[in-house]
Short mmCIF file of all heavy atoms in Angstrom, two decimals:
data_model
loop_
_atom_site.label_atom_id
_atom_site.label_comp_id
_atom_site.label_asym_id
_atom_site.label_seq_id
_atom_site.Cartn_x
_atom_site.Cartn_y
_atom_site.Cartn_z
N ARG S 21 61.38 124.56 7.50
CA ARG S 21 62.02 124.01 6.28
C ARG S 21 63.18 124.91 5.85
O ARG S 21 64.22 124.42 5.42
CB ARG S 21 61.00 123.89 5.15
CG ARG S 21 60.09 122.70 5.30
CD ARG S 21 59.07 122.63 4.14
NE ARG S 21 58.72 121.24 3.95
CZ ARG S 21 59.22 120.46 3.02
NH1 ARG S 21 60.10 120.92 2.16
NH2 ARG S 21 58.86 119.19 2.95
N GLU S 22 63.01 126.23 5.98
CA GLU S 22 64.08 127.16 5.60
C GLU S 22 65.31 126.96 6.48
O GLU S 22 66.45 126.97 6.00
CB GLU S 22 63.58 128.61 5.67
CG GLU S 22 62.53 128.96 4.64
CD GLU S 22 61.13 128.40 4.96
OE1 GLU S 22 60.85 128.06 6.15
OE2 GLU S 22 60.32 128.30 4.02
N HIS S 23 65.08 126.81 7.80
CA HIS S 23 66.21 126.55 8.70
C HIS S 23 66.87 125.22 8.36
O HIS S 23 68.10 125.11 8.38
CB HIS S 23 65.74 126.52 10.16
CG HIS S 23 65.37 127.86 10.71
ND1 HIS S 23 64.24 128.07 11.44
CD2 HIS S 23 66.00 129.06 10.63
CE1 HIS S 23 64.18 129.34 11.80
NE2 HIS S 23 65.23 129.96 11.32
N ALA S 24 66.06 124.21 8.03
CA ALA S 24 66.61 122.89 7.68
C ALA S 24 67.47 122.99 6.42
O ALA S 24 68.55 122.40 6.35
CB ALA S 24 65.47 121.90 7.47
N GLN S 25 67.01 123.75 5.44
CA GLN S 25 67.80 123.93 4.22
C GLN S 25 69.11 124.63 4.53
O GLN S 25 70.17 124.26 4.01
CB GLN S 25 66.98 124.72 3.20
CG GLN S 25 65.82 123.93 2.65
CD GLN S 25 64.83 124.77 1.85
OE1 GLN S 25 64.90 126.00 1.82
NE2 GLN S 25 63.90 124.10 1.20
N GLU S 26 69.07 125.63 5.41
CA GLU S 26 70.28 126.34 5.81
C GLU S 26 71.24 125.39 6.53
O GLU S 26 72.44 125.37 6.25
CB GLU S 26 69.93 127.52 6.73
CG GLU S 26 71.15 128.29 7.22
CD GLU S 26 70.79 129.42 8.17
OE1 GLU S 26 69.65 129.90 8.17
OE2 GLU S 26 71.70 129.82 8.93
N LEU S 27 70.70 124.58 7.43
CA LEU S 27 71.50 123.62 8.17
C LEU S 27 72.24 122.66 7.25
O LEU S 27 73.40 122.32 7.48
CB LEU S 27 70.58 122.86 9.13
CG LEU S 27 71.15 121.92 10.15
CD1 LEU S 27 72.24 122.55 10.98
CD2 LEU S 27 70.04 121.42 11.05
N CYS S 28 71.59 122.27 6.17
CA CYS S 28 72.23 121.37 5.20
C CYS S 28 73.38 122.03 4.45
O CYS S 28 74.21 121.33 3.86
CB CYS S 28 71.18 120.85 4.20
SG CYS S 28 70.04 119.66 4.94
N ARG S 29 73.46 123.33 4.48
CA ARG S 29 74.57 124.05 3.82
C ARG S 29 75.75 124.28 4.75
O ARG S 29 76.82 124.70 4.29
CB ARG S 29 74.07 125.38 3.26
CG ARG S 29 73.12 125.23 2.09
CD ARG S 29 72.81 126.56 1.41
NE ARG S 29 72.11 127.50 2.27
CZ ARG S 29 70.78 127.61 2.38
NH1 ARG S 29 70.00 126.82 1.69
NH2 ARG S 29 70.25 128.52 3.19
N TRP S 30 75.60 124.03 6.03
CA TRP S 30 76.70 124.23 6.97
C TRP S 30 77.81 123.23 6.69
O TRP S 30 77.57 122.05 6.50
CB TRP S 30 76.24 124.06 8.40
CG TRP S 30 75.34 125.15 8.91
CD1 TRP S 30 74.91 126.26 8.24
CD2 TRP S 30 74.76 125.21 10.20
NE1 TRP S 30 74.09 127.00 9.05
CE2 TRP S 30 73.98 126.38 10.26
CE3 TRP S 30 74.80 124.39 11.32
CZ2 TRP S 30 73.28 126.75 11.41
CZ3 TRP S 30 74.11 124.75 12.45
CH2 TRP S 30 73.36 125.93 12.49
N ARG S 31 79.04 123.71 6.68
CA ARG S 31 80.21 122.85 6.45
C ARG S 31 81.22 123.10 7.56
O ARG S 31 81.63 124.23 7.80
CB ARG S 31 80.86 123.14 5.09
CG ARG S 31 79.95 122.82 3.92
CD ARG S 31 79.69 121.31 3.81
NE ARG S 31 78.72 120.99 2.80
CZ ARG S 31 77.46 120.61 3.05
NH1 ARG S 31 77.02 120.53 4.27
NH2 ARG S 31 76.65 120.32 2.07
N TYR S 32 81.63 122.01 8.21
CA TYR S 32 82.58 122.07 9.30
C TYR S 32 83.96 121.68 8.80
O TYR S 32 84.10 120.88 7.89
CB TYR S 32 82.16 121.11 10.43
CG TYR S 32 80.85 121.49 11.07
CD1 TYR S 32 79.65 120.96 10.61
CD2 TYR S 32 80.81 122.37 12.15
CE1 TYR S 32 78.44 121.31 11.20
CE2 TYR S 32 79.61 122.72 12.75
CZ TYR S 32 78.43 122.18 12.27
OH TYR S 32 77.24 122.52 12.85
N GLU S 33 85.00 122.24 9.45
CA GLU S 33 86.38 121.87 9.13
C GLU S 33 86.66 120.46 9.65
O GLU S 33 86.05 120.00 10.61
CB GLU S 33 87.36 122.84 9.80
CG GLU S 33 87.30 124.25 9.24
CD GLU S 33 88.32 125.17 9.91
OE1 GLU S 33 89.23 124.68 10.60
OE2 GLU S 33 88.18 126.38 9.74
N SER S 34 87.61 119.79 9.01
CA SER S 34 88.04 118.46 9.45
C SER S 34 88.66 118.59 10.84
O SER S 34 89.32 119.59 11.13
CB SER S 34 89.07 117.93 8.45
OG SER S 34 89.45 116.63 8.80
N PRO S 35 88.46 117.67 11.75
CA PRO S 35 87.78 116.39 11.62
C PRO S 35 86.28 116.47 11.92
O PRO S 35 85.59 115.47 11.94
CB PRO S 35 88.48 115.53 12.68
CG PRO S 35 88.77 116.50 13.78
CD PRO S 35 89.12 117.80 13.07
N PHE S 36 85.77 117.69 12.14
CA PHE S 36 84.37 117.86 12.51
C PHE S 36 83.43 117.80 11.31
O PHE S 36 82.21 117.86 11.47
CB PHE S 36 84.18 119.18 13.27
CG PHE S 36 85.11 119.30 14.45
CD1 PHE S 36 86.24 120.09 14.37
CD2 PHE S 36 84.86 118.60 15.62
CE1 PHE S 36 87.11 120.18 15.46
CE2 PHE S 36 85.71 118.68 16.70
CZ PHE S 36 86.85 119.47 16.62
N ASP S 37 83.98 117.65 10.11
CA ASP S 37 83.16 117.61 8.89
C ASP S 37 82.20 116.42 8.88
O ASP S 37 81.19 116.46 8.18
CB ASP S 37 84.03 117.63 7.63
CG ASP S 37 85.09 116.56 7.61
OD1 ASP S 37 85.43 115.99 8.67
OD2 ASP S 37 85.61 116.28 6.51
N LEU S 38 82.48 115.41 9.69
CA LEU S 38 81.56 114.26 9.73
C LEU S 38 80.20 114.66 10.33
O LEU S 38 79.23 113.91 10.21
CB LEU S 38 82.17 113.10 10.52
CG LEU S 38 82.41 113.32 12.01
CD1 LEU S 38 81.25 112.81 12.84
CD2 LEU S 38 83.66 112.59 12.40
N TYR S 39 80.11 115.83 10.96
CA TYR S 39 78.84 116.29 11.54
C TYR S 39 77.96 117.00 10.52
O TYR S 39 76.85 117.42 10.84
CB TYR S 39 79.10 117.23 12.73
CG TYR S 39 79.75 116.53 13.89
CD1 TYR S 39 81.04 116.87 14.30
CD2 TYR S 39 79.10 115.52 14.58
CE1 TYR S 39 81.65 116.22 15.37
CE2 TYR S 39 79.69 114.86 15.65
CZ TYR S 39 80.97 115.23 16.03
OH TYR S 39 81.56 114.58 17.08
N GLY S 40 78.45 117.15 9.30
CA GLY S 40 77.64 117.80 8.26
C GLY S 40 76.49 116.91 7.81
O GLY S 40 76.51 115.69 7.96
N TRP S 41 75.47 117.53 7.29
CA TRP S 41 74.28 116.84 6.79
C TRP S 41 74.35 116.68 5.29
O TRP S 41 75.06 117.42 4.61
CB TRP S 41 73.03 117.63 7.16
CG TRP S 41 72.82 117.77 8.63
CD1 TRP S 41 73.19 118.82 9.41
CD2 TRP S 41 72.22 116.82 9.51
NE1 TRP S 41 72.85 118.58 10.72
CE2 TRP S 41 72.25 117.36 10.81
CE3 TRP S 41 71.66 115.56 9.32
CZ2 TRP S 41 71.73 116.70 11.91
CZ3 TRP S 41 71.14 114.90 10.43
CH2 TRP S 41 71.18 115.47 11.70
N SER S 42 73.57 115.74 4.77
CA SER S 42 73.42 115.60 3.32
C SER S 42 72.73 116.84 2.78
O SER S 42 72.20 117.64 3.54
CB SER S 42 72.55 114.37 3.00
OG SER S 42 73.17 113.19 3.44
N ASP S 43 72.67 116.95 1.45
CA ASP S 43 71.98 118.12 0.91
C ASP S 43 70.47 117.98 1.14
O ASP S 43 69.94 116.89 1.31
CB ASP S 43 72.37 118.39 -0.54
CG ASP S 43 71.63 117.61 -1.59
OD1 ASP S 43 70.53 117.11 -1.34
OD2 ASP S 43 72.15 117.53 -2.71
N TRP S 44 69.80 119.12 1.21
CA TRP S 44 68.39 119.18 1.58
C TRP S 44 67.52 118.34 0.64
O TRP S 44 66.62 117.64 1.10
CB TRP S 44 67.90 120.61 1.63
CG TRP S 44 66.42 120.67 1.78
CD1 TRP S 44 65.50 121.05 0.85
CD2 TRP S 44 65.65 120.27 2.93
NE1 TRP S 44 64.22 120.93 1.35
CE2 TRP S 44 64.29 120.44 2.63
CE3 TRP S 44 65.99 119.77 4.19
CZ2 TRP S 44 63.27 120.14 3.53
CZ3 TRP S 44 64.97 119.48 5.09
CH2 TRP S 44 63.64 119.66 4.75
N ASP S 45 67.76 118.42 -0.65
CA ASP S 45 66.91 117.69 -1.59
C ASP S 45 66.93 116.19 -1.29
O ASP S 45 65.89 115.53 -1.32
CB ASP S 45 67.33 117.95 -3.04
CG ASP S 45 67.03 119.38 -3.47
OD1 ASP S 45 66.12 120.01 -2.88
OD2 ASP S 45 67.71 119.88 -4.38
N ARG S 46 68.11 115.65 -0.99
CA ARG S 46 68.22 114.22 -0.67
C ARG S 46 67.51 113.92 0.65
O ARG S 46 66.77 112.94 0.77
CB ARG S 46 69.68 113.80 -0.59
CG ARG S 46 69.80 112.35 -0.16
CD ARG S 46 71.23 111.83 -0.20
NE ARG S 46 71.23 110.46 0.28
CZ ARG S 46 72.00 110.01 1.24
NH1 ARG S 46 72.89 110.81 1.80
NH2 ARG S 46 71.93 108.77 1.63
N MET S 47 67.74 114.75 1.66
CA MET S 47 67.13 114.51 2.97
C MET S 47 65.60 114.53 2.87
O MET S 47 64.93 113.69 3.46
CB MET S 47 67.63 115.51 4.00
CG MET S 47 69.09 115.25 4.32
SD MET S 47 69.71 116.13 5.74
CE MET S 47 68.81 115.37 7.07
N ALA S 48 65.07 115.49 2.12
CA ALA S 48 63.62 115.60 1.97
C ALA S 48 63.07 114.44 1.15
O ALA S 48 62.05 113.84 1.51
CB ALA S 48 63.25 116.94 1.34
N ALA S 49 63.75 114.09 0.06
CA ALA S 49 63.27 113.01 -0.82
C ALA S 49 63.27 111.67 -0.09
O ALA S 49 62.35 110.86 -0.28
CB ALA S 49 64.14 112.93 -2.08
N GLU S 50 64.28 111.43 0.75
CA GLU S 50 64.39 110.15 1.45
C GLU S 50 63.78 110.17 2.86
O GLU S 50 63.79 109.16 3.55
CB GLU S 50 65.87 109.73 1.51
CG GLU S 50 66.45 109.48 0.13
CD GLU S 50 67.92 109.07 0.16
OE1 GLU S 50 68.41 108.64 1.24
OE2 GLU S 50 68.57 109.17 -0.89
N GLY S 51 63.27 111.35 3.28
CA GLY S 51 62.68 111.45 4.61
C GLY S 51 63.68 111.22 5.72
O GLY S 51 63.34 110.67 6.77
N LEU S 52 64.93 111.64 5.50
CA LEU S 52 65.98 111.44 6.50
C LEU S 52 65.92 112.51 7.58
O LEU S 52 65.85 113.70 7.27
CB LEU S 52 67.36 111.49 5.84
CG LEU S 52 67.63 110.49 4.72
CD1 LEU S 52 68.94 110.80 4.02
CD2 LEU S 52 67.65 109.07 5.31
N GLU S 53 65.94 112.09 8.83
CA GLU S 53 65.98 113.00 9.98
C GLU S 53 65.00 114.16 9.78
O GLU S 53 63.83 113.94 9.59
CB GLU S 53 67.41 113.50 10.22
CG GLU S 53 68.36 112.43 10.68
CD GLU S 53 68.08 111.92 12.08
OE1 GLU S 53 67.47 112.62 12.89
OE2 GLU S 53 68.48 110.77 12.37
N PHE S 54 65.50 115.41 9.80
CA PHE S 54 64.60 116.55 9.68
C PHE S 54 64.08 116.77 8.27
O PHE S 54 63.29 117.68 8.03
CB PHE S 54 65.24 117.84 10.25
CG PHE S 54 66.59 118.15 9.68
CD1 PHE S 54 66.75 118.73 8.44
CD2 PHE S 54 67.72 117.87 10.43
CE1 PHE S 54 68.00 119.02 7.94
CE2 PHE S 54 68.99 118.17 9.95
CZ PHE S 54 69.12 118.74 8.69
N GLY S 55 64.47 115.90 7.34
CA GLY S 55 63.87 115.89 6.00
C GLY S 55 62.46 115.31 6.04
O GLY S 55 61.68 115.50 5.10
N ASP S 56 62.12 114.62 7.10
CA ASP S 56 60.77 114.11 7.35
C ASP S 56 60.06 115.18 8.18
O ASP S 56 60.46 115.48 9.30
CB ASP S 56 60.87 112.79 8.12
CG ASP S 56 59.52 112.22 8.50
OD1 ASP S 56 58.70 112.94 9.10
OD2 ASP S 56 59.29 111.03 8.22
N ASP S 57 58.99 115.76 7.62
CA ASP S 57 58.31 116.87 8.30
C ASP S 57 57.85 116.50 9.71
O ASP S 57 57.97 117.31 10.63
CB ASP S 57 57.10 117.36 7.49
CG ASP S 57 57.52 118.15 6.25
OD1 ASP S 57 58.66 118.66 6.20
OD2 ASP S 57 56.68 118.27 5.34
N ALA S 58 57.33 115.30 9.90
CA ALA S 58 56.84 114.91 11.23
C ALA S 58 57.98 114.86 12.25
O ALA S 58 57.83 115.35 13.37
CB ALA S 58 56.12 113.57 11.15
N ILE S 59 59.12 114.30 11.86
CA ILE S 59 60.27 114.24 12.76
C ILE S 59 60.82 115.64 13.01
O ILE S 59 61.13 116.01 14.15
CB ILE S 59 61.37 113.31 12.20
CG1 ILE S 59 60.87 111.86 12.20
CG2 ILE S 59 62.67 113.44 12.99
CD1 ILE S 59 61.80 110.90 11.50
N ARG S 60 60.92 116.44 11.95
CA ARG S 60 61.44 117.81 12.08
C ARG S 60 60.61 118.61 13.07
O ARG S 60 61.14 119.26 13.98
CB ARG S 60 61.47 118.50 10.71
CG ARG S 60 61.98 119.93 10.75
CD ARG S 60 62.02 120.56 9.36
NE ARG S 60 60.78 120.42 8.63
CZ ARG S 60 59.69 121.16 8.84
NH1 ARG S 60 59.68 122.09 9.76
NH2 ARG S 60 58.59 120.99 8.11
#
Side-chain angles (χ1 to χ4, degrees):
R21 283 179 152 261
E22 292 76 20
H23 288 135
Q25 290 168 351
E26 178 182 338
L27 187 51
C28 288
R29 291 189 296 270
W30 290 0
R31 296 293 174 255
Y32 296 92
E33 292 181 14
S34 184
F36 306 102
D37 53 342
L38 66 95
Y39 294 115
W41 298 96
S42 297
D43 84 21
W44 171 251
D45 291 335
R46 176 174 178 232
M47 291 192 67
E50 296 180 18
L52 302 171
E53 292 291 336
F54 53 79
D56 177 308
D57 287 340
I59 293 172
R60 180 179 50 78

